[in-house]
Amino acid sequence: MRALILILALLTAGPALAAPQPSDVIEAALRSVVRIEPDWGRAADDTGLARGLGSGFVIDAAGRVVTNAHVLGEEETVVLVSPDGGRRRGRVVGRDALTDIALIAPDGGAFAPALPALGEGALRTGQRVYALGSPIAYPFSATEGIVSGAGRAYDAAWPVDFIQHDAAINPGSSGGPLIDAEGRWIGMNTATPPETLFDIGIGLAIPAEQVLEVAEALGREGRLARGGLGVMVRGADSGMLAALGVEAPFGLLIDEVDPASAAHASGLEAGDVLLGAEGRGLRYPRDLSAVLLGARTGETLELEVARAGEVRRVRIGLDAAAAAAPARGRTSLDALTGRERRVEGPGLRLASAEDGVVVNEVAEGSLAATYGVRRGDVVLAVDGRPAVSAEEVMSALSSGRGLVVLRLLRPGRGTRHLALPLNPEEAARRPPGLPTELGSGPL
């Protein structure tokens, strides 16, 4: 009897809905993804090499594209490249440095379908996700992972509660979507931890809700006119606060007060401790940044302030906030190509030797380090001409040209040629990690 009931149940059941296959989901979602390139006034790169800045994706019927603000730098126009090779110039509508979100409008209107966003509903740790974008020189790639956590911080100051996942993201992935198994985007890939440059299994994405909120405001106004206090603060623990005569588990210690700011006009001073803002406890600078995210110029903010053991409440009218500085460690090719480098010049120290010119030091963060020059390498030739002295090689590297070709001897590894860009523009055209057709091998 039980067997008969089971057979009848199977015969009367309706057809099961097949779950979408990951390949179909990814293929459909990639139609909405773009590669973002600098607008240098020509249709194609004459080297034929990849020169992207990062990734983006279409979010509405007008074809507008969201990406990270740090991908764009100071660019006002960019080129949007679709997976089928189509190219469209785009105008930067606005950017918000504090959340690292930017909006681009394509010339001529929509050119790709909008990627659907996930509606209301909590993310689940362990759910399957896919990261789409153009890491390094591999355009329109997809990687797979799971949601590892939510509400993550990048550092003590950036006021975004990131989605953490382990789908691989690398320089060039910035601005690409993080999608779920149904093909809906749940976040925008933005960073790996600040201690890293390449993927280590920890990726950070700005939640879709925050991206859409900021993009909507940028579409209306072109900017977010946030209010600011005019202070520099640092986190302080209970031991530091006790030394200052303040009984509290944590707070923000004011390092500096801008003399032209609302904070100064309200009597705040360096050495004061901010314990709370609008009823929220302040443990890290990002806690105060989060309170200020929705604040506008001219609005008032209530602060709980401690000075010399006395706690008082102060209401401050907010000034226009200064632009937030770009954070380090984000997954943009800028981190590789030198657009955000602090190291100027070649970044090398050289010494003349009998058999060539020896590299004694390579500065961290320099183009030389990024493109593979190592301490102990011997420079045998520059652009095919023998390296006679350290002074001559350094002169060639400081000439202002876009590119030099070095022939290097690496002890124990033999000789090799290395193309070294000498400025950010050339580096953007030939990012490190180029496909293997430019590699070497025994034949």
Side-chain angles (χ1 to χ4, degrees), residues 115-415:
L115 189 60
L118 178 67
E120 295 294 329
L123 296 177
R124 292 174 292 109
T125 299
Q127 77 176 75
R128 184 66 53 191
V129 290
Y130 306 93
L132 311 181
S134 297
I136 313 179
Y138 297 94
F140 305 105
S141 299
T143 56
E144 181 183 31
I146 61 171
V147 171
S148 306
R152 305 303 200 201
Y154 174 86
D155 59 23
W158 199 354
V160 173
D161 291 326
F162 289 98
I163 301 167
Q164 178 195 342
H165 64 88
D166 69 347
I169 58 175
N170 284 289
S173 296
S174 276
L178 183 70
I179 66 172
D180 68 5
E182 304 295 324
R184 302 165 299 191
W185 70 278
I186 63 176
M188 180 166 66
N189 293 310
T190 298
T192 52
E195 298 82 10
T196 71
L197 178 58
F198 296 98
D199 176 67
I200 60 168
I202 300 177
L204 301 174
I206 302 174
E209 182 180 0
Q210 187 164 28
V211 174
L212 288 171
E213 180 182 348
V214 172
E216 181 181 353
L218 293 176
R220 288 194 313 266
E221 307 168 22
R223 57 188 292 268
L224 275 74
R226 291 197 175 90
L229 291 170
V231 297
M232 291 289 292
V233 298
R234 69 175 59 247
D237 58 25
S238 58
M240 295 173 64
L241 296 181
L244 296 170
V246 177
E247 293 185 11
F250 50 77
L252 300 181
L253 179 59
I254 297 179
D255 285 337
E256 296 180 29
V257 178
D258 183 342
S261 69
H264 183 268
S266 299
L268 292 187
E269 300 175 356
D272 287 347
V273 178
L274 306 182
L275 300 177
E278 294 295 316
R280 173 174 178 165
L282 301 177
R283 187 185 195 105
Y284 306 108
R286 70 189 303 267
D287 296 328
L288 181 56
S289 291
V291 173
L292 293 170
L293 265 179
R296 298 292 181 261
T297 303
E299 295 180 355
T300 61
L301 186 71
E302 183 177 82
L303 297 174
E304 186 179 357
V305 183
R307 179 188 298 171
E310 180 183 347
V311 178
R312 59 194 176 100
R313 295 187 182 275
V314 179
R315 293 204 68 86
I316 298 179
L318 300 176
D319 293 325
R328 56 190 177 84
R330 297 171 178 174
T331 52
S332 166
L333 286 176
D334 288 348
L336 295 181
T337 60
R339 293 169 61 93
E340 295 180 357
R341 286 183 304 126
R342 296 181 179 178
V343 177
E344 299 298 330
L348 295 173
R349 289 184 61 184
L350 306 173
S352 300
E354 291 184 4
D355 299 328
V357 175
V358 177
V359 177
N360 280 344
E361 184 178 336
V362 184
E364 181 180 356
S366 66
L367 283 171
T370 299
Y371 282 77
V373 181
R374 300 290 179 262
R375 185 174 181 272
D377 285 349
V378 179
V379 182
L380 301 177
V382 180
D383 291 338
R385 293 183 290 275
V388 176
S389 68
E391 293 75 18
E392 186 179 282
V393 172
M394 189 58 71
S395 176
L397 296 177
S398 305
S399 64
R401 287 178 294 160
L403 180 76
V404 296
V405 177
L406 304 178
R407 183 158 63 92
L408 301 176
L409 169 65
R410 184 161 296 171
R413 299 284 298 275
T415 61

